[in-house]
Amino acid sequence: GPVEDASSGDVGGSGLAQRIAAVGRGAGRGLVVLLDAPEEMPPHLAHRLRDWTDATVEWLRAAGAQLVIASRPEFWEHAGALYPPGVLYLPRRPAAQLPPPLRRGDLTPAEAAAARDRYGIPADAVRPADARHPLTLRLLAGVRQAGVDEGRPGRDEVFAAHLDLICLRVAVRIAAGGA
């Protein structure tokens, strides 16, 4: 996808993402790409952030897609200004001066308890340090629904288990010929 080296000339790879975007547009739904932790990109890309961003913007426009970036504020202060209007997904209440970040912290204790109840997650099923993180709770619910409910994972283990589960589901679909 757009995370590939912009100098390779192959941003977007085999065209799968463009085909997915076209299917979404045909169904009246645009493709929104989530880029998580871009501050962890390889140094050779980070040193050419403007070129990488320009190539990513070109790919997004060609695919008719929008981008959501989940990054640390320190990264966003620099990188956010590199994105032109219309490329990024816009929240309802944008912050001033930078492209609009959507800040979301941990849930309150009451919100976390309600979320765990809705997801069917016991109060002691996640480490206390991550028990109020909204994405951790949502992903843990999916992992537990798949039958993995042993232990008391933290955020990193929940994210890893979720990615493993997604990869397994994709592999099963490919093996079944339904990709």
Side-chain angles (χ1 to χ4, degrees), residues 9-107:
D10 189 30
V11 176
S14 66
L16 176 61
Q18 288 90 336
R19 291 193 304 273
I20 291 170
V23 169
R25 280 191 310 275
R29 295 176 175 248
L31 177 64
V32 176
V33 177
L34 170 63
L35 177 60
D36 188 21
E39 63 272 13
E40 296 174 10
M41 71 175 59
H44 74 279
L45 291 178
H47 293 307
R48 295 188 349 262
L49 185 59
R50 180 171 292 282
D51 293 338
W52 181 88
T53 302
D54 290 345
T56 299
V57 167
E58 182 180 322
W59 179 87
L60 289 165
R61 286 184 171 153
Q66 288 186 306
L67 182 64
V68 173
I69 299 177
S71 71
R72 293 184 182 110
E74 303 81 29
F75 176 84
W76 191 245
E77 286 174 2
H78 172 68
L82 299 176
Y83 289 91
V87 173
L88 299 176
Y89 176 79
L90 301 175
R92 293 179 198 258
R93 295 183 306 147
Q97 296 182 336
L98 287 177
L102 179 60
R103 301 192 189 284
R104 179 65 186 151
D106 284 347
L107 300 170

Side-chain angles (χ1 to χ4, degrees), residues 91-151:
R92 293 179 198 258
R93 295 183 306 147
Q97 296 182 336
L98 287 177
L102 179 60
R103 301 192 189 284
R104 179 65 186 151
D106 284 347
L107 300 170
T108 66
E111 290 171 332
R116 285 192 309 273
D117 285 346
R118 277 193 298 263
Y119 289 136
I121 299 173
D124 63 347
V126 63
R127 289 190 191 139
D130 299 313
R132 294 176 33 211
H133 188 265
L135 183 58
T136 300
L137 294 176
R138 186 175 67 77
L139 297 181
L140 180 58
V143 169
R144 290 178 61 85
Q145 191 175 41
V148 181
D149 57 7
E150 296 295 319

